[in-house]
Amino acid sequence: MNRTGEVRASELPLIGNADLWEQLPADLAPKFRARAGDVAVDMVREIQDQIAEYSQKLEGMFGQVVVEGVEQAIHQFIDRMVDPTAQREDRAKLFRLLGKLEVSAGRSLDLLQTAYRIGARVAWRRISEFGQTERVPLATMCLIAEAIFAYIDELSLRSMEGYAEAQARHAGALQRRRKRLLELLLGEPGYHPNALAELAEAAHWPLPDKVLVVALERRTDQHQLPIPVLHEDILMDLEGSEPCLLLTDPERQLVALEQKLGGWRAAVGPVVPLAAARQSLHWARRTITLIQSGVIADRPMVDTTEHLSTLLLLGDEELVRELVKRTLAPLEGLTPKQQQRMRETMTAWVETRGSAPEVASSLAVHPQTVRYRLRQLEELFGAKLHDPDALFDMGIALRALRLLNGSAERTGRLGREAPPGFTGSPGARSA
């Protein structure tokens, strides 16, 4: 028991009867110890014969630990027959190390557990032969058998502890490497390809040709969100100031992503070459900003590629406001209501280039009303209404103004000083 009063797993009694070791005859220990070397050789040989992954020549650290583990397991069993109260913590370290080595080798714990069972069978077979030769009572042999398999369970538990500890450390190290990899891909351009390849290999992340980035944002009503369980190929940063995901196989990975991101606002950037991942993030993050301002409708997951023209138009909002101000300057002398009507008529005419009846149909007003407004526009804009470049600017300005007005209506605010024609609401189409 430690100072906090907690009992370590290695201090727990063995599986089975607490008095089991007390009942074993200590006088058999010297006879067992004399045969320990031969038993250890038999165990190692049979483990190698039955487990292909352990069949290689036992050399280096792995081989040394396996051979030492077998020998220590035998001698510790015999020592406990002599003194059941002997401290076991220091002796348990080797078997924890065996569990850790399985993680390093990329194997599950099943193989080591199988090796323990093989060792137990070999030990029991040799002890059975000894018992028959020495005429050991049946009751004693039953106690020894129970002690062997209880002891193997204990060793397995130690290895499970080591395996779990190594797994946690491995997962933490892997996560740190992947986060560094994500930072490298989304950071300032200019990283060395070799450095990227080495880091990707260390992070167990195959380098793809194409990627996309999903920009994330916690909604205001979501204070604490669980970390979603995502595909291992997805790089993610959910703790930073600008959380995001990097996907390597969008067609497959996006299918279940929306359901797993419950509570997050997500903007999916376009698919780009790996070297342009930063650009995909930029566009996705810009989409999040436009969702916040109300320009783009808020949904759980928004596809940036559906709003590329909006991103282009509002890429520099100050610049587009200046364009609106200069392009629609002739409307400044009109009342807000007149500006709205003229703007709606200009929009319908620029978009359709149709006759008065066609424009009137799109506005749901009388053709004569449209003719009157068009004459007014001729007086206000003059030759610009027939200049292709000027008309192009007008189309951009009107489209941008419609986006800005829609944003103001959804958010309920105008923000900065409004340009000509900026009403804060699209308004109803009227005569």
Side-chain angles (χ1 to χ4, degrees), residues 356-361 363-373 430-431:
E358 290 174 312
V359 175
S361 176
L363 293 175
V365 298
H366 196 278
Q368 191 59 34
T369 301
V370 171
R371 292 188 183 97
Y372 172 73
R373 293 180 186 175
S430 58

Side-chain angles (χ1 to χ4, degrees), residues 90-324:
D90 291 341
R91 300 178 181 183
K93 291 179 180 179
L94 180 63
F95 301 101
R96 291 196 184 96
L97 177 59
L98 282 169
K100 294 177 182 179
L101 289 177
E102 291 301 276
V103 174
S104 301
R107 294 190 289 258
S108 73
L109 201 57
D110 294 344
L111 293 177
L112 186 58
Q113 303 284 31
T114 300
Y116 281 142
R117 289 192 293 270
I118 292 171
R121 289 198 300 268
V122 172
W124 174 240
R125 185 167 60 241
R126 293 297 297 269
I127 289 175
S128 296
E129 294 170 356
F130 169 84
Q132 291 177 2
T133 302
E134 298 293 326
R135 299 183 181 280
V136 178
L138 179 59
T140 300
M141 294 298 294
C142 289
L143 285 173
I144 294 174
E146 186 177 354
I148 288 174
F149 291 103
Y151 181 61
I152 291 300
D153 285 341
E154 183 184 354
L155 299 186
S156 296
L157 180 59
R158 301 298 160 261
S159 294
M160 287 172 62
E161 291 172 351
Y163 190 87
E165 180 184 344
Q167 263 194 328
R169 289 183 178 178
H170 178 74
L174 195 64
Q175 187 60 35
R176 288 191 295 274
R177 294 187 195 113
R178 291 193 167 196
K179 186 175 181 181
R180 173 64 187 126
L181 179 62
L182 183 62
E183 292 171 350
L184 187 65
L185 289 170
L186 300 181
E188 292 295 328
Y191 55 76
H192 197 284
N194 290 343
L196 176 65
E198 290 175 3
L199 184 55
E201 183 178 1
H204 298 174
W205 193 76
L207 287 174
D209 295 325
K210 303 280 187 178
V211 297
L212 70 73
V213 179
V214 179
L216 300 174
E217 182 188 43
R218 295 176 181 85
R219 296 178 183 274
T220 55
D221 57 346
Q222 299 288 335
H223 303 292
Q224 290 186 342
L225 294 171
I227 296 178
V229 179
L230 304 178
H231 192 276
E232 61 181 6
D233 287 345
I234 296 178
L235 299 181
M236 62 180 179
D237 177 10
L238 301 180
E239 305 299 328
S241 59
E242 295 188 344
C244 64
L245 309 172
L246 189 144
L247 278 59
T248 59
D249 188 356
E251 291 186 6
R252 174 175 55 85
Q253 295 166 346
L254 279 174
V255 173
L257 193 59
E258 183 173 345
Q259 182 178 0
K260 293 181 178 180
L261 290 177
W264 292 89
R265 176 183 286 119
V268 180
V271 177
V272 296
L274 179 63
R278 185 168 178 263
Q279 191 61 57
S280 183
L281 174 63
H282 171 72
W283 288 324
R285 185 57 58 192
R286 179 60 181 156
T287 300
I288 289 283
T289 301
L290 293 177
I291 292 172
Q292 293 170 337
S293 64
V295 173
I296 296 176
D298 190 7
R299 300 196 305 273
M301 183 173 291
V302 175
D303 186 349
T304 296
T305 60
E306 296 177 359
H307 303 277
L308 294 181
S309 61
T310 301
L311 291 175
L312 177 63
L313 280 175
L314 301 183
D316 187 333
E317 193 170 318
E318 295 297 336
L319 182 61
V320 80
R321 285 176 182 273
E322 183 64 24
L323 175 66
V324 170

Side-chain angles (χ1 to χ4, degrees), residues 354-420:
S355 62
E358 290 174 312
V359 175
S361 176
S362 68
L363 293 175
V365 298
H366 196 278
Q368 191 59 34
T369 301
V370 171
R371 292 188 183 97
Y372 172 73
R373 293 180 186 175
L374 290 176
R375 284 195 296 270
Q376 285 185 300
L377 290 173
E378 286 278 1
E379 294 175 1
L380 291 168
F381 288 89
K384 289 182 178 180
L385 287 181
H386 305 284
D387 181 345
D389 291 337
L391 286 174
F392 180 77
D393 286 348
M394 288 180 193
I396 294 176
L398 291 166
R399 168 75 176 177
L401 190 57
R402 192 162 55 200
L403 291 170
L404 293 172
N405 280 338
S407 166
E409 182 185 60
R410 279 189 287 270
T411 59
R413 65 178 187 273
L414 294 183
R416 54 184 67 78
E417 182 182 353

